[in-house]
Amino acid sequence: MSSGSRSLVRPVFLFLLSAIVLAAGTGICSAHAPLIVGSNEGIMGATLISSPEKSFVLYTMLDGGGEAQYYRFPMEKGQILYGSLQVPGPDSAIPDLVIIGPGINPSGDVPSSLEVPAGSGALLIQGKPPGKPSYEPFTPQPIFEVARFNITVPLDGDYYIAVTGPGDTRYSLAPGFREEFTAAEWVMVPWSVISIRLWEGQAPAVVFAPMIIMVIVGMVLSVLYRKKQGLKPDLVPWLILLCGLLYLGGAVLTGLQMIHSILLTGYSSGVMLTLLFMAGPLILGIIVVRAGIQSPGTDRSLMSGIRTAVIGILGLLLWAGLIIGPLLALVASAIILMRSAGKPAPA
């Protein structure tokens, strides 16, 4: 990294680390861990929710025939089956949900095609057209809620949620209330967010356009600048530069999605949390891009390798660069450390 960039590293890293702590301490209460649904059109193939009180979110759609989809919750007496059902927009088809399990008092006009195990009751919760959406700051996205459930289960056993509705109905199910992430769930959030955009009906070209434009324009300008300055070719500066451009592109993508959501939901305090998460990749990206553009070649020092690794780790913690950016920084760090140890590394 250039000396100018290095002088900013310490305060910037302190800011970013503070941002992570602040976000974890104040805002994680509205986040959900993503979960893959799989094929679950029959009760025997129900998607297992092994931690029934942990907050998950599942984005999917009913098949063309509208066959019910099932989710299984192994629960103990006194535990709470809690959550909500959402749709992508105000004009979306509205699904219903049915809670099935031992000790559930039967209620509502439950579809006869629904599978209800012997000894279980079935409670229908009809979906209602959504009102004004709420703002979800981590994604960010508008939340169009159509149903909510909150039941203290009366007996030990397997409880099921069945989602029913017209064929091809898109819905998201968000069960649970305990907010917690595994390390893998946290790191994979950026790609989970991409899947949410596609579930909402956004075209892939629109979703990825900010990052693609940022990378192409940034690389072209960097090639011209480095050629003009007579800087020698070296793999590491290009890896660092691409990492920074991906960080910036991700920040721009978040900003555009935030504006789109605010236009639907109006302003809420959650916007400040989105801005906080956007500021980390944005500031880090600016520093990294400057370093990648101006570097004449690889700094072979041990500290340079460590700083570059920290750039990658912070990127993972801040959901920057769709994981690809942080991985590029870690590859660059490995090359620098190999060169500092006098071992052969890519030129």
Side-chain angles (χ1 to χ4, degrees), residues 57 68 186 212 215:
V57 63
W186 182 273
I212 293 172
V215 168

Side-chain angles (χ1 to χ4, degrees), residues 244 247-248 281-291:
Y247 285 7
L248 292 178
L282 182 63
I283 295 172
L284 192 58
I286 292 172
I287 299 297
V288 176
V289 166
R290 286 185 59 192

Side-chain angles (χ1 to χ4, degrees), residues 134-175:
S134 59
Y135 180 81
E136 203 291 310
F138 285 86
T139 324
Q141 71 177 120
I143 300 296
F144 294 90
E145 184 175 293
V146 298
R148 179 167 288 274
F149 52 94
N150 186 353
I151 296 175
T152 301
V153 302
L155 299 169
D156 295 352
D158 284 340
Y159 288 78
Y160 297 87
I161 289 178
V163 179
T164 68
D168 297 325
T169 296
R170 295 174 185 264
Y171 70 90
S172 68
L173 179 66

Side-chain angles (χ1 to χ4, degrees), residues 80-104:
I80 299 173
L81 186 60
Y82 171 92
S84 61
L85 187 68
Q86 299 104 33
V87 293
D91 300 322
S92 301
I94 307 300
D96 300 322
L97 65 83
V98 179
I99 296 177
I100 303 167
I104 296 294

